[in-house]
Amino acid sequence: MTSPTRSGKTRRPLVLTAIVMAMFMAAIEATIVATAMPSIAAKLGGLSLYSWVFSSFLLMQAVTIPIYGKLADVFGRKLLFNTGIVIFLIASTLCGFAGSMMVLVVCRLGQGLGAGAIQPLAVTLIGDMYTLEERARVQGYVASVWGISAVLGPLAGALIVQYLPWAWVFWINVPFGLASIFLVSRYLHEHIEHRERSIDYAGAVLLLLALSSLMLALTQGSHWGVPAIALLVALAAGAFWMLLRQERWAADPVLHVELWRVRLIRLANLATLNAGVAMMGLIGFLPMFIQGVLHRSPVVAGLTLSMMSLGWPIASVIAGRALPRAGVPRLARSGGIALFAGSLIVALLGGYGPVAAASGSLLVGAGLGILNTTFIVTIQESVGWNQRGTATAMNILMRILGNALGAAVLGGVLNMALRRSIEAAGDSAGTSFATLQSLLEGTALPGAGTGALYEGFAAGLHGVFWTGVVFAGVVLVASWRIPHAQPAEPAPVQRPQTKAVTPGRKRDRGSHSVMGRSD
């Protein structure tokens, strides 16, 4: 173990400022790019690669999150956090110089490689710097960054492509990233005890293979067909099986399988995964429902969805303040109830108008905000420093996997309903989808020639929302069983050992950190 030294103290307010800027940079990137991509694609061409601009970022971010989490437990947070920001900034700069869609996709892979470090290590750093009571409040504030980015991102993207070269969609990240690196480098002081390290390279390769195969199946399966999905899922399953065998014997495993034996972590990750699916039911399909079924403008659709972005940060701040007094089980249940109730309102009452749909959206956002803050804080409290990065990254990975799974599953529900309506109408798929596009754009209303397709479209979206209710129900059940957090409870170790090992250290040859704290 190490002891704090007086040579340097962490300036928490300044480091927190750096964390907020880095998270804002990574969060707003998704919404800015989504708004600007039609204009970018028009200039670069290569529409066949349009979806890969988003999938490549999500894929690389997901597969690197657990790797960064583990490396941060070995080498410390500061080095990995700054490394992730540098990679993100280099890739962002190159994105602005992309001359084709293929080059842009490759650069987006680089952005995802950097973003995989930013979010989990930012959250982990907060866990390192603040006590439980402080951490709950601060995590609530930091969660509001995502809500703010969801509101500002689309507006910023629209303004940039209208008044500036599209490259500034990516270059806008540079000042935020440089300022964050400066503040972290100067005011974050980690005291690392250097020990003999044993890196689990085989486990890292197997983890990358498993997650890459799974993410490709979820994000590209609809384009590549059933045989490709089956092959990718089989490859992912085989890689996961080999990974579990590898991690049983690794001296310092990249994936701490024993963390899943901790009931709180297991249930929190299960709830987070299913909440990610339910979340995609709104993000991906509620605007489509407002425009295509209720025939309201894109502005109304955007305002309806923005209620979720409003409810999330408000609930996160409230949950952060209430957690020390209310306790983990009560807050987890409150979040599960809010998420389930909001999903149910959208499924039952959404057809009555945007106000009802917005109410459900607000409740879903509130539920997600409560659950996110509660789970992150309690997971970090339940493990020691040498597993905090891994445990935090694991929970964030579950949300990303849930989003990808939700896009695949809920998109499949809608596509099946549309196919049935097309077959019932005896129309060609091309003609039907052109008609559907006119419905979404508001240039045609359902009539004699479009009635069957319209009904199938509306029924498919209702099916999507009811599927979201099912996943929200799983969240409710899991959150209802969340136990009280056990502070600094070391994860159980069940692996062959040749000598006695201090509980919670588990042959750890990594580093430990004690931060000098100063407000």
Side-chain angles (χ1 to χ4, degrees):
M1 292 293 293
T2 61
S3 59
T5 67
R6 298 297 178 185
S7 58
K9 290 187 177 181
T10 292
R11 299 289 297 275
R12 294 193 299 174
L14 294 174
V15 175
L16 181 60
T17 300
I19 290 172
V20 168
M21 285 194 295
M23 291 188 69
F24 180 76
M25 175 185 70
I28 201 172
E29 182 66 17
T31 50
I32 283 184
V33 172
T35 306
M37 266 312 297
S39 298
I40 295 174
K43 291 179 173 64
L44 296 182
L47 285 177
S48 60
L49 296 174
Y50 188 95
S51 64
W52 269 100
V53 175
F54 304 98
S55 298
S56 59
F57 180 88
L58 181 66
L59 171 66
M60 188 57 69
Q61 182 185 29
V63 301
T64 55
I65 278 176
I67 303 296
Y68 280 120
K70 175 57 186 178
L71 291 177
D73 286 340
V74 175
F75 297 103
R77 329 302 193 199
K78 183 176 180 177
L79 173 64
L80 272 298
F81 186 67
N82 281 341
T83 299
I85 296 177
V86 169
I87 294 173
F88 188 86
L89 292 183
I90 292 173
S92 297
T93 303
L94 294 176
C95 280
F97 289 109
S100 68
M101 193 71 84
M102 176 60 74
V103 174
L104 182 60
V105 168
V106 173
C107 294
R108 288 283 286 173
L109 281 168
Q111 277 191 308
L113 179 63
I118 294 172
Q119 185 181 358
L121 297 189
V123 176
T124 304
L125 278 169
I126 293 172
D128 289 344
M129 292 192 300
Y130 293 93
T131 64
L132 174 61
E133 291 77 12
E134 296 171 323
R135 189 188 314 154
R137 184 180 69 255
V138 173
Q139 293 284 18
Y141 294 147
V142 172
S144 65
V145 171
W146 297 93
I148 294 171
S149 67
V151 175
L152 294 182
L155 176 61
L159 291 175
I160 287 174
V161 297
Q162 184 170 353
Y163 296 108
L164 296 171
W166 63 264
W168 283 100
V169 167
F170 302 101
W171 293 346
I172 196 175
N173 297 317
V174 175
F176 292 102
L178 292 178
S180 182
I181 291 173
F182 171 77
L183 292 175
V184 168
S185 299
R186 185 173 179 84
Y187 297 111
L188 175 64
H189 298 280
E190 285 185 315
H191 309 291
I192 307 298
E193 180 182 352
H194 296 283
R195 299 183 178 184
E196 178 188 357
R197 297 183 177 96
S198 176
I199 306 298
D200 182 17
Y201 294 106
V205 171
L206 289 171
L207 180 61
L208 286 172
L209 178 61
L211 288 177
S212 299
S213 302
L214 181 59
M215 288 296 298
L216 284 172
L218 293 175
T219 58
Q220 299 299 317
S222 60
H223 302 289
W224 293 349
V226 175
I229 295 177
L231 178 62
L232 288 169
V233 170
L235 183 60
F240 271 123
W241 179 77
M242 294 176 65
L243 175 64
L244 292 177
R245 290 181 60 87
Q246 164 67 21
E247 300 307 84
R248 288 180 58 191
W249 303 101
D252 190 11
V254 69
L255 183 67
H256 289 259
V257 180
E258 66 273 6
L259 289 175
W260 286 90
R261 300 190 183 104
V262 180
R263 186 184 177 202
L264 185 148
I265 294 177
R266 182 172 63 250
L267 290 172
N269 286 341
L270 174 64
T272 300
L273 176 70
N274 285 273
V277 178
M279 175 182 171
M280 282 304 298
L282 261 68
I283 292 177
F285 301 94
L286 185 58
M288 190 182 294
F289 180 81
I290 298 297
Q291 291 179 244
V293 177
L294 300 184
H295 309 297
R296 303 302 177 94
S297 69
V299 174
V300 174
L303 290 174
T304 303
L305 185 60
S306 68
M307 297 305 293
M308 184 181 74
S309 301
L310 179 65
W312 187 318
I314 292 175
S316 294
V317 173
I318 294 174
R321 289 182 171 275
L323 183 57
R325 300 187 305 273
V328 175
R330 186 179 299 176
L331 271 183
R333 293 170 185 175
S334 299
I337 291 172
L339 177 64
F340 182 78
S343 301
L344 194 60
I345 287 173
V346 171
L348 284 173
L349 303 178
Y352 288 97
V355 174
S359 301
S361 179
L362 180 66
L363 273 176
V364 168
L368 291 170
I370 294 171
L371 292 173
N372 180 73
T373 299
T374 303
F375 289 157
I376 286 292
V377 171
T378 53
I379 285 174
Q380 291 180 340
E381 187 69 9
S382 300
V383 297
W385 186 94
N386 64 318
Q387 291 182 323
R388 187 174 293 151
T390 301
T392 302
M394 190 185 301
N395 185 256
I396 294 173
L397 175 64
M398 289 299 104
R399 185 169 71 245
I400 294 177
L401 289 178
N403 291 158
L405 179 62
V409 171
L410 301 177
V413 171
L414 178 60
N415 287 334
M416 285 192 293
L418 289 175
R419 286 196 195 95
R420 285 197 297 266
S421 65
I422 291 171
E423 293 171 358
D427 199 359
S428 67
T431 303
S432 295
F433 281 107
T435 304
L436 178 59
Q437 182 64 31
S438 68
L439 287 173
L440 290 174
E441 293 174 350
T443 57
L445 294 176
T450 63
L453 178 63
Y454 173 78
E455 291 175 3
F457 179 58
L461 286 174
H462 278 107
V464 166
F465 296 144
W466 278 109
T467 304
V469 171
V470 173
F471 283 97
V474 176
V475 176
L476 179 60
V477 172
S479 61
W480 209 266
R481 300 181 61 192
I482 291 287
H484 288 279
Q486 299 295 324
E489 179 78 20
V493 180
Q494 297 181 14
R495 71 177 59 203
Q497 297 179 351
T498 58
K499 61 181 180 179
V501 180
T502 304
R505 298 297 177 228
K506 203 161 50 66
R507 293 186 187 180
D508 183 23
R509 296 183 174 92
S511 309
H512 295 268
S513 169
V514 178
M515 292 188 180
R517 297 176 180 170
S518 174
D519 291 329

PDB file of all heavy atoms in Angstrom, residues 22-40:
ATOM      1  N   ALA A  22     -14.320  17.090 -20.903  1.00  0.00           N
ATOM      2  CA  ALA A  22     -14.033  15.896 -21.705  1.00  0.00           C
ATOM      3  C   ALA A  22     -15.310  15.114 -21.984  1.00  0.00           C
ATOM      4  O   ALA A  22     -15.528  14.643 -23.116  1.00  0.00           O
ATOM      5  CB  ALA A  22     -13.020  15.020 -20.977  1.00  0.00           C
ATOM      6  N   MET A  23     -16.162  14.960 -20.978  1.00  0.00           N
ATOM      7  CA  MET A  23     -17.408  14.231 -21.178  1.00  0.00           C
ATOM      8  C   MET A  23     -18.343  14.990 -22.114  1.00  0.00           C
ATOM      9  O   MET A  23     -19.034  14.390 -22.944  1.00  0.00           O
ATOM     10  CB  MET A  23     -18.079  13.967 -19.833  1.00  0.00           C
ATOM     11  CG  MET A  23     -17.330  12.983 -18.960  1.00  0.00           C
ATOM     12  SD  MET A  23     -18.241  12.500 -17.476  1.00  0.00           S
ATOM     13  CE  MET A  23     -19.568  11.537 -18.192  1.00  0.00           C
ATOM     14  N   PHE A  24     -18.380  16.306 -21.996  1.00  0.00           N
ATOM     15  CA  PHE A  24     -19.208  17.103 -22.903  1.00  0.00           C
ATOM     16  C   PHE A  24     -18.717  16.952 -24.341  1.00  0.00           C
ATOM     17  O   PHE A  24     -19.512  16.818 -25.278  1.00  0.00           O
ATOM     18  CB  PHE A  24     -19.161  18.570 -22.480  1.00  0.00           C
ATOM     19  CG  PHE A  24     -19.979  19.477 -23.345  1.00  0.00           C
ATOM     20  CD1 PHE A  24     -21.362  19.520 -23.223  1.00  0.00           C
ATOM     21  CD2 PHE A  24     -19.375  20.287 -24.287  1.00  0.00           C
ATOM     22  CE1 PHE A  24     -22.123  20.345 -24.032  1.00  0.00           C
ATOM     23  CE2 PHE A  24     -20.119  21.124 -25.088  1.00  0.00           C
ATOM     24  CZ  PHE A  24     -21.506  21.153 -24.967  1.00  0.00           C
ATOM     25  N   MET A  25     -17.402  16.938 -24.516  1.00  0.00           N
ATOM     26  CA  MET A  25     -16.810  16.769 -25.841  1.00  0.00           C
ATOM     27  C   MET A  25     -17.241  15.443 -26.465  1.00  0.00           C
ATOM     28  O   MET A  25     -17.639  15.378 -27.638  1.00  0.00           O
ATOM     29  CB  MET A  25     -15.293  16.838 -25.721  1.00  0.00           C
ATOM     30  CG  MET A  25     -14.529  16.563 -26.987  1.00  0.00           C
ATOM     31  SD  MET A  25     -12.736  16.539 -26.687  1.00  0.00           S
ATOM     32  CE  MET A  25     -12.598  15.007 -25.725  1.00  0.00           C
ATOM     33  N   ALA A  26     -17.174  14.365 -25.678  1.00  0.00           N
ATOM     34  CA  ALA A  26     -17.536  13.051 -26.203  1.00  0.00           C
ATOM     35  C   ALA A  26     -19.043  12.911 -26.391  1.00  0.00           C
ATOM     36  O   ALA A  26     -19.500  12.272 -27.344  1.00  0.00           O
ATOM     37  CB  ALA A  26     -17.024  11.960 -25.252  1.00  0.00           C
ATOM     38  N   ALA A  27     -19.831  13.507 -25.479  1.00  0.00           N
ATOM     39  CA  ALA A  27     -21.280  13.348 -25.544  1.00  0.00           C
ATOM     40  C   ALA A  27     -21.885  14.137 -26.697  1.00  0.00           C
ATOM     41  O   ALA A  27     -22.762  13.644 -27.415  1.00  0.00           O
ATOM     42  CB  ALA A  27     -21.904  13.787 -24.217  1.00  0.00           C
ATOM     43  N   ILE A  28     -21.444  15.375 -26.882  1.00  0.00           N
ATOM     44  CA  ILE A  28     -22.052  16.224 -27.904  1.00  0.00           C
ATOM     45  C   ILE A  28     -21.655  15.780 -29.309  1.00  0.00           C
ATOM     46  O   ILE A  28     -22.349  16.084 -30.287  1.00  0.00           O
ATOM     47  CB  ILE A  28     -21.674  17.699 -27.675  1.00  0.00           C
ATOM     48  CG1 ILE A  28     -22.685  18.623 -28.371  1.00  0.00           C
ATOM     49  CG2 ILE A  28     -20.264  17.976 -28.148  1.00  0.00           C
ATOM     50  CD1 ILE A  28     -22.502  20.078 -28.029  1.00  0.00           C
ATOM     51  N   GLU A  29     -20.550  15.038 -29.419  1.00  0.00           N
ATOM     52  CA  GLU A  29     -20.099  14.593 -30.728  1.00  0.00           C
ATOM     53  C   GLU A  29     -21.160  13.757 -31.442  1.00  0.00           C
ATOM     54  O   GLU A  29     -21.382  13.899 -32.648  1.00  0.00           O
ATOM     55  CB  GLU A  29     -18.799  13.786 -30.589  1.00  0.00           C
ATOM     56  CG  GLU A  29     -18.202  13.311 -31.893  1.00  0.00           C
ATOM     57  CD  GLU A  29     -17.730  14.455 -32.768  1.00  0.00           C
ATOM     58  OE1 GLU A  29     -17.567  15.584 -32.255  1.00  0.00           O
ATOM     59  OE2 GLU A  29     -17.544  14.238 -33.968  1.00  0.00           O
ATOM     60  N   ALA A  30     -21.840  12.889 -30.692  1.00  0.00           N
ATOM     61  CA  ALA A  30     -22.834  12.014 -31.308  1.00  0.00           C
ATOM     62  C   ALA A  30     -24.003  12.810 -31.889  1.00  0.00           C
ATOM     63  O   ALA A  30     -24.440  12.564 -33.020  1.00  0.00           O
ATOM     64  CB  ALA A  30     -23.339  11.004 -30.279  1.00  0.00           C
ATOM     65  N   THR A  31     -24.508  13.781 -31.139  1.00  0.00           N
ATOM     66  CA  THR A  31     -25.677  14.522 -31.606  1.00  0.00           C
ATOM     67  C   THR A  31     -25.316  15.527 -32.695  1.00  0.00           C
ATOM     68  O   THR A  31     -26.100  15.772 -33.607  1.00  0.00           O
ATOM     69  CB  THR A  31     -26.349  15.248 -30.425  1.00  0.00           C
ATOM     70  OG1 THR A  31     -25.346  15.986 -29.693  1.00  0.00           O
ATOM     71  CG2 THR A  31     -26.993  14.264 -29.486  1.00  0.00           C
ATOM     72  N   ILE A  32     -24.118  16.129 -32.621  1.00  0.00           N
ATOM     73  CA  ILE A  32     -23.685  17.050 -33.677  1.00  0.00           C
ATOM     74  C   ILE A  32     -23.539  16.301 -35.006  1.00  0.00           C
ATOM     75  O   ILE A  32     -24.015  16.746 -36.052  1.00  0.00           O
ATOM     76  CB  ILE A  32     -22.355  17.735 -33.302  1.00  0.00           C
ATOM     77  CG1 ILE A  32     -22.586  18.843 -32.282  1.00  0.00           C
ATOM     78  CG2 ILE A  32     -21.692  18.324 -34.531  1.00  0.00           C
ATOM     79  CD1 ILE A  32     -21.334  19.624 -31.941  1.00  0.00           C
ATOM     80  N   VAL A  33     -22.876  15.151 -34.971  1.00  0.00           N
ATOM     81  CA  VAL A  33     -22.641  14.389 -36.191  1.00  0.00           C
ATOM     82  C   VAL A  33     -23.960  13.902 -36.782  1.00  0.00           C
ATOM     83  O   VAL A  33     -24.155  13.929 -38.006  1.00  0.00           O
ATOM     84  CB  VAL A  33     -21.686  13.215 -35.906  1.00  0.00           C
ATOM     85  CG1 VAL A  33     -21.591  12.296 -37.108  1.00  0.00           C
ATOM     86  CG2 VAL A  33     -20.309  13.733 -35.535  1.00  0.00           C
ATOM     87  N   ALA A  34     -24.886  13.448 -35.930  1.00  0.00           N
ATOM     88  CA  ALA A  34     -26.171  12.960 -36.433  1.00  0.00           C
ATOM     89  C   ALA A  34     -26.910  14.047 -37.207  1.00  0.00           C
ATOM     90  O   ALA A  34     -27.537  13.773 -38.245  1.00  0.00           O
ATOM     91  CB  ALA A  34     -27.026  12.468 -35.264  1.00  0.00           C
ATOM     92  N   THR A  35     -26.853  15.282 -36.727  1.00  0.00           N
ATOM     93  CA  THR A  35     -27.533  16.382 -37.398  1.00  0.00           C
ATOM     94  C   THR A  35     -26.820  16.780 -38.684  1.00  0.00           C
ATOM     95  O   THR A  35     -27.459  17.121 -39.683  1.00  0.00           O
ATOM     96  CB  THR A  35     -27.609  17.610 -36.462  1.00  0.00           C
ATOM     97  OG1 THR A  35     -28.201  17.214 -35.228  1.00  0.00           O
ATOM     98  CG2 THR A  35     -28.424  18.717 -37.081  1.00  0.00           C
ATOM     99  N   ALA A  36     -25.498  16.739 -38.679  1.00  0.00           N
ATOM    100  CA  ALA A  36     -24.724  17.224 -39.816  1.00  0.00           C
ATOM    101  C   ALA A  36     -24.490  16.180 -40.904  1.00  0.00           C
ATOM    102  O   ALA A  36     -24.116  16.544 -42.025  1.00  0.00           O
ATOM    103  CB  ALA A  36     -23.370  17.736 -39.316  1.00  0.00           C
ATOM    104  N   MET A  37     -24.694  14.902 -40.617  1.00  0.00           N
ATOM    105  CA  MET A  37     -24.327  13.851 -41.566  1.00  0.00           C
ATOM    106  C   MET A  37     -25.020  13.947 -42.918  1.00  0.00           C
ATOM    107  O   MET A  37     -24.384  13.659 -43.953  1.00  0.00           O
ATOM    108  CB  MET A  37     -24.568  12.472 -40.946  1.00  0.00           C
ATOM    109  CG  MET A  37     -23.344  11.882 -40.271  1.00  0.00           C
ATOM    110  SD  MET A  37     -21.831  11.966 -41.251  1.00  0.00           S
ATOM    111  CE  MET A  37     -22.285  10.935 -42.648  1.00  0.00           C
ATOM    112  N   PRO A  38     -26.296  14.302 -43.017  1.00  0.00           N
ATOM    113  CA  PRO A  38     -26.882  14.438 -44.362  1.00  0.00           C
ATOM    114  C   PRO A  38     -26.111  15.427 -45.238  1.00  0.00           C
ATOM    115  O   PRO A  38     -25.864  15.149 -46.420  1.00  0.00           O
ATOM    116  CB  PRO A  38     -28.303  14.929 -44.072  1.00  0.00           C
ATOM    117  CG  PRO A  38     -28.625  14.387 -42.725  1.00  0.00           C
ATOM    118  CD  PRO A  38     -27.318  14.470 -41.973  1.00  0.00           C
ATOM    119  N   SER A  39     -25.699  16.556 -44.689  1.00  0.00           N
ATOM    120  CA  SER A  39     -24.936  17.539 -45.452  1.00  0.00           C
ATOM    121  C   SER A  39     -23.537  17.015 -45.778  1.00  0.00           C
ATOM    122  O   SER A  39     -23.020  17.219 -46.883  1.00  0.00           O
ATOM    123  CB  SER A  39     -24.818  18.849 -44.664  1.00  0.00           C
ATOM    124  OG  SER A  39     -26.094  19.411 -44.421  1.00  0.00           O
ATOM    125  N   ILE A  40     -22.921  16.317 -44.801  1.00  0.00           N
ATOM    126  CA  ILE A  40     -21.582  15.763 -45.041  1.00  0.00           C
ATOM    127  C   ILE A  40     -21.632  14.699 -46.133  1.00  0.00           C
ATOM    128  O   ILE A  40     -20.785  14.661 -47.028  1.00  0.00           O
ATOM    129  CB  ILE A  40     -21.009  15.187 -43.735  1.00  0.00           C
ATOM    130  CG1 ILE A  40     -20.800  16.300 -42.707  1.00  0.00           C
ATOM    131  CG2 ILE A  40     -19.696  14.455 -43.997  1.00  0.00           C
ATOM    132  CD1 ILE A  40     -20.369  15.806 -41.335  1.00  0.00           C
TER     133      ILE A  40
END
